[in-house]
Amino acid sequence: MNKRSILVFRFSAMGDVAMISPVIEQLCEQHPQVSIILVSRPFFKPFFDTNPQIRFHPIYPKEQHRGLRGLYRLFKELRNYKIDAIADLHDSLRSRILSTFFRLTTIPIKRIDKGRAEKRALTRIQNKHLIPLKSTFERYAEVFQSLGFSIRLTNKLVKKTRPLPAAFLRQFNSSSALRRIGIAPFAQHRYKVYPLDKMEEVIAVLSRNHELFIFGGGETEQEMATKWEKKYAHVTNVIGVVDLTHELDLIANLDLMLSMDSSGMHMASLVGTRVISVWGPTHPYAGFLGFGQKEDDCIQFHHPARPSSIYGNKPCLCDGIPCIERISPEQIVTKIEKTLSYG
């Protein structure tokens, strides 16, 4: 069996990097002779730690790999590997420059087709094409296929067994009657965030009968999560408490996750936890629904102006009231309770 080594580029964003993992996992299962050198930001390494066929190589775009000179330094680091093919899953200026350095080596290079024209048609105001586009997972898989590696994607959640972090043993031992729900109420782009006053209403109701864990964000989000933790019983802030590996461990032990269209959804998919997701100006049709997640579990307000954005960096154009604000806390709570009761 001939060993084949693929160099893979995907530097950001968090959710997009997380979405690579199930594709590479299935590629490696179907091609045990393949090894992957994955180039991404060091923070994302835990997404790939459980796969022995992946070797992670960090990029430091603000430090030693900054600018053209820094990318050339990265190229010199990477060419020390025995590489048979390059999969550019990012198609950014950085990844294109890096690919240019490698072209002189005659190594085959393929890059992702992001379907920009189709996405513009999906989000335009007039003559909108509201049809499901190819998923990002399929787009990733196509890159490997174009390099000669067949891959059959099974878009199915597989529950992963991971150890429960010691920091949360008390919440799991306190009462076996309580169901454990993760909540990722924040997102990189504010237009994708469900109004926090309404999210607090959701938390207030769910915390009466369930154990809740709040994920995602920086200092500002940590302050909000800590406030909820102090205000409501059975609410635990996870932000800033444990690292990314232990967050994944915790999510794997949850019964359900509530998330925006954000990295929280994709982290849950990595460990096989079902997600109820809340959508605003973005839409599952754009191809970013979590791996193995169901469109029926997407809570969204249907309006002819949706979607108005692919990534959530543009506001909703729905008659002055953002669609995400038209979703009531009661809708979210009811959906979660029904899912926990009936599956």
Side-chain angles (χ1 to χ4, degrees), residues 98-118:
L98 203 52
S99 296
T100 299
F101 293 143
F102 275 101
R103 289 199 184 280
L104 297 176
T105 68
T106 70
I107 296 172
I109 302 169
K110 298 294 182 180
R111 62 173 49 94
I112 187 172
D113 174 7
K114 293 186 174 180
R116 291 183 174 92
E118 305 154 56

Side-chain angles (χ1 to χ4, degrees), residues 291-314:
F291 192 84
Q293 304 297 341
K294 303 175 182 177
E295 189 179 339
D296 286 347
D297 287 340
C298 299
I299 301 176
Q300 48 189 331
F301 183 88
H302 296 285
H303 189 283
R306 280 191 68 239
S308 58
S309 176
I310 294 297
Y311 305 109
N313 56 337
K314 298 177 183 178

Side-chain angles (χ1 to χ4, degrees), residues 136-150:
T136 300
F137 305 106
E138 292 173 301
R139 296 184 188 278
Y140 286 158
E142 285 179 348
V143 180
F144 295 110
Q145 289 165 350
S146 67
L147 288 168
F149 299 91
S150 61

Side-chain angles (χ1 to χ4, degrees), residues 104-167:
L104 297 176
T105 68
T106 70
I107 296 172
I109 302 169
K110 298 294 182 180
R111 62 173 49 94
I112 187 172
D113 174 7
K114 293 186 174 180
R116 291 183 174 92
E118 305 154 56
K119 290 173 180 175
R120 284 194 295 271
L122 180 67
T123 55
R124 65 192 179 197
I125 298 174
Q126 302 294 331
N127 300 317
K128 185 186 295 293
H129 286 191
L130 189 61
I131 58 174
L133 303 184
K134 193 178 296 180
S135 76
T136 300
F137 305 106
E138 292 173 301
R139 296 184 188 278
Y140 286 158
E142 285 179 348
V143 180
F144 295 110
Q145 289 165 350
S146 67
L147 288 168
F149 299 91
S150 61
I151 176 171
R152 302 176 305 279
L153 287 182
T154 57
N155 189 28
K156 183 179 180 181
L157 276 184
V158 178
K159 193 69 172 175
K160 304 293 177 63
T161 300
R162 296 176 67 117
L164 178 66

Side-chain angles (χ1 to χ4, degrees), residues 231-245:
K231 189 172 181 180
Y232 302 103
H234 308 304
V235 174
T236 299
N237 165 50
V238 178
I239 305 170
V241 176
V242 293
D243 61 17
L244 184 59
T245 297

